């Protein structure tokens, strides 16, 4: 399994909502991966982890560790859930293998569930979706309290799960009440961390004189931001390609926006600026297009100054978690998010 290719596809949805998400993955026949692992994120920041090797949940981030110290039963709850889910997922893989007639491995069953809460409107959205071997499998529609199957292979499972009324009611309660309660609690405890602002460092990069100029921002937090190019102060769209927001492994984010400068005359460069802006915050960080500040390596091979996915090598765990999240987002298009409000 090549996680590195997948990693590049990962992006973070920019949203002004708060979110609590759980990612659970069970694998069978996949080398170098634990049979089961889970991660929790609050506002896209990883706050917890568990797997079948450590057999217990572990908090991440100082504020979550402090919260757990005061409420050890909270961690105990997660550890139990982790262990319990491990058995349920394993059993489900066995069932699905038979139901789908899949004799050959590997098998990967994933779930992403959780809730979003808009602290302005109070709107709550719950979601619970399963993926099998990297493809969307089933999603819970909280309005109708039924499962949605985007593919015909999942229809039999949908019909069986639709019959499990007690489980569906439990789901409904969880996503509409408990999940947002916990999310709000986490946000309160993590406030100074989650609501901090860290400005990016911004560089202009150009591989060769005929390449596009990439304006690269890294190290910023939170992961809700915009980047664009302007000419004489006005945003331009032509010859511009926006990148997506990506995770750094220190918990900050990075993003870039490219500009094809081939039609810009040499004396016209300084009319262009690359602009970075946190969503909903007025301050712009401007970087003027200027040959003298561009990093390039075209004269001196071979090292490009900033690798766009710097830090991949650090932290197997993070890589694992990101790979899992990527598997999800990669194929997520088939799902509609479900609205938990009546
Ligand atoms: C599963 O495979 C067997 C043997 O190849 C076949 O007879 C059976 O019809 C298949 N079942 C489904 C549900 O595809
Ligand atoms: C930049 O624009 C020029 C002219 O429109 C085009 O020929 C060239 O292929 C573009 N370069 C890239 C890297 O997109």
């Amino acid at each position: 399994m090549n996680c590195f290719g997948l990693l590049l596809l990962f992006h973070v949805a920019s949203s002004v909502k708060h979110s609590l998400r759980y990612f659970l993955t069970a694998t069978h026949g996949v080398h170098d991966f634990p049979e089961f692992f889970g991660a929790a994120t609050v506002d896209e920041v990883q706050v917890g982890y568990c797997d079948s090797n450590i057999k217990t949940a572990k908090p991440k981030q100082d504020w979550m560790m402090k919260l757990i110290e005061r409420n050890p039963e909270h961690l105990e709850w997660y550890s139990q859930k982790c262990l319990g889910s491990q058995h349920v997922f394993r059993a489900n893989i066995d069932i699905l293998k038979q139901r789908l007639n899949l004799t050959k491995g590997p098998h990967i069953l994933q779930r992403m569930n959780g809730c979003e809460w808009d602290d302005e409107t109070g709107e709550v959205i719950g979601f619970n979706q399963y993926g099998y071997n990297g493809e969307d499998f089933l999603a819970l529609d909280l309005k109708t309290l039924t499962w949605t199957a985007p593919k015909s292979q999942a229809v039999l499972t949908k019909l069986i799960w639709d019959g499990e009324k007690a489980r569906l009611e439990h789901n409904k309660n969880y996503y509409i009440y408990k999940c947002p309660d916990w999310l709000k609690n986490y946000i309160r405890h993590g406030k100074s961390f989650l609501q901090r602002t860290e400005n990016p460092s911004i560089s202009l990069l150009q591989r060769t004189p005929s390449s596009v100029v990439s304006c690269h921002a890294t190290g910023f937090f939170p992961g809700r931001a915009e980047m664009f190019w302007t000419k004489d102060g006005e945003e331009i769209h032509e010859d511009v390609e926006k990148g997506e927001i990506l995770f750094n492994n220190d918990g900050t984010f990075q993003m870039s926006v490219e500009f094809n400068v081939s039609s810009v005359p040499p004396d016209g460069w300084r009319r262009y600026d690359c602009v970075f802006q946190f969503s909903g915050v007025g301050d712009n960080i401007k970087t003027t297009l200027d040959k003298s500040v561009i990093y390039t390596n075209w004269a001196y091979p071979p090292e490009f100054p900033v690798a766009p996915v710097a830090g991949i090598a650090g932290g197997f765990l993070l890589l694992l978690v990101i790979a899992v999240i990527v598997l999800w987002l990669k194929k997520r298009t088939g799902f509609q998010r479900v609205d938990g409000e009546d």
Side-chain angles (χ1 to χ4, degrees), residues 59-335:
K60 297 204 154 206
Q61 315 299 342
D62 288 348
W63 58 273
M64 189 52 98
M65 290 176 192
K66 281 186 195 132
L67 195 155
I68 292 294
E69 261 168 36
R70 263 172 290 154
N71 307 277
E73 70 286 353
H74 201 63
L75 190 63
E76 184 55 29
W77 187 89
Y78 274 120
S79 290
Q80 293 292 342
K81 273 279 171 210
C82 183
L83 215 58
S85 303
Q86 184 178 337
H87 297 306
V88 172
F89 271 53
R90 185 61 218 262
N92 275 328
I93 283 190
D94 288 342
I95 292 169
L96 288 174
K97 255 164 44 182
Q98 288 190 354
R99 205 174 274 164
L100 305 178
N101 235 356
L102 298 170
T103 44
K104 288 207 187 96
H107 304 273
I108 302 172
L109 178 63
Q110 295 174 280
R111 184 177 82 183
M112 183 187 64
N113 68 321
C115 53
E116 285 181 358
W117 165 61
D118 187 318
D119 66 1
E120 266 172 42
T121 64
E123 187 193 13
V124 168
I125 296 169
F127 43 88
N128 185 7
Q129 6 183 293
Y130 284 83
Y132 193 62
N133 288 348
E135 307 222 356
D136 289 342
F137 192 67
L138 285 174
L140 180 62
D141 182 337
L142 280 167
K143 273 212 178 96
T144 59
L145 223 50
T146 55
W147 292 91
T148 308
K151 290 237 164 93
S152 57
Q153 301 101 291
V155 171
L156 181 55
T157 307
K158 167 203 155 48
L159 294 174
I160 295 169
W161 287 11
D162 278 351
E164 297 174 355
K165 297 295 178 208
R167 178 177 161 201
L168 287 168
E169 281 302 329
H170 176 82
N171 260 285
K172 183 170 183 168
N173 267 315
Y174 177 75
Y175 294 111
I176 294 176
Y177 303 108
K178 192 163 177 175
C179 183
D181 272 3
W182 285 27
L183 172 56
K184 288 171 198 173
N185 191 26
Y186 293 156
I187 298 285
R188 209 165 51 240
H189 281 86
K191 198 170 182 150
S192 58
F193 176 84
L194 294 167
Q195 296 188 351
R196 81 194 193 280
T197 302
E198 279 181 40
N199 282 332
S201 62
I202 297 177
S203 329
L204 299 180
L205 314 168
Q206 192 182 30
R207 273 168 211 268
T208 71
S210 58
S211 304
V212 295
V213 172
S214 175
C215 179
H216 183 255
T218 188
F220 62 88
F221 189 96
R224 294 188 292 268
E226 272 292 323
M227 277 182 94
F228 50 91
W229 283 92
T230 61
K231 180 186 185 186
D232 301 329
E234 297 285 331
E235 180 171 355
I236 54 172
H237 299 281
E238 210 172 318
D239 296 326
V240 171
E241 194 157 337
K242 292 189 186 194
E244 286 165 336
I245 297 182
L246 304 163
F247 274 122
N248 284 328
N249 69 356
D250 63 359
T252 63
F253 297 87
Q254 60 167 298
M255 175 169 42
S256 60
V257 57
E258 291 179 345
F259 178 36
N260 183 344
V261 292
S262 63
S263 55
V264 178
D267 60 349
W269 277 45
R270 295 192 57 85
R271 295 168 69 183
Y272 294 86
D273 292 297
C274 162
V275 179
F276 175 95
Q277 188 178 58
F278 281 112
S279 304
V281 182
D283 282 352
N284 288 348
I285 303 174
K286 265 197 225 169
T287 311
T288 299
L289 184 60
D290 181 345
K291 282 206 169 87
S292 66
V293 302
I294 287 183
Y295 289 96
T296 184
N297 67 330
W298 65 275
Y300 327 90
E303 214 173 26
F304 198 58
V306 178
V309 280
I312 282 184
F316 169 69
L317 228 56
L318 184 88
L319 179 61
L320 201 65
V321 168
I322 288 178
V324 170
I325 298 171
V326 168
L327 275 175
W328 257 108
L329 295 176
K330 199 173 80 136
K331 297 285 176 92
R332 206 169 60 170
T333 40
F335 274 138

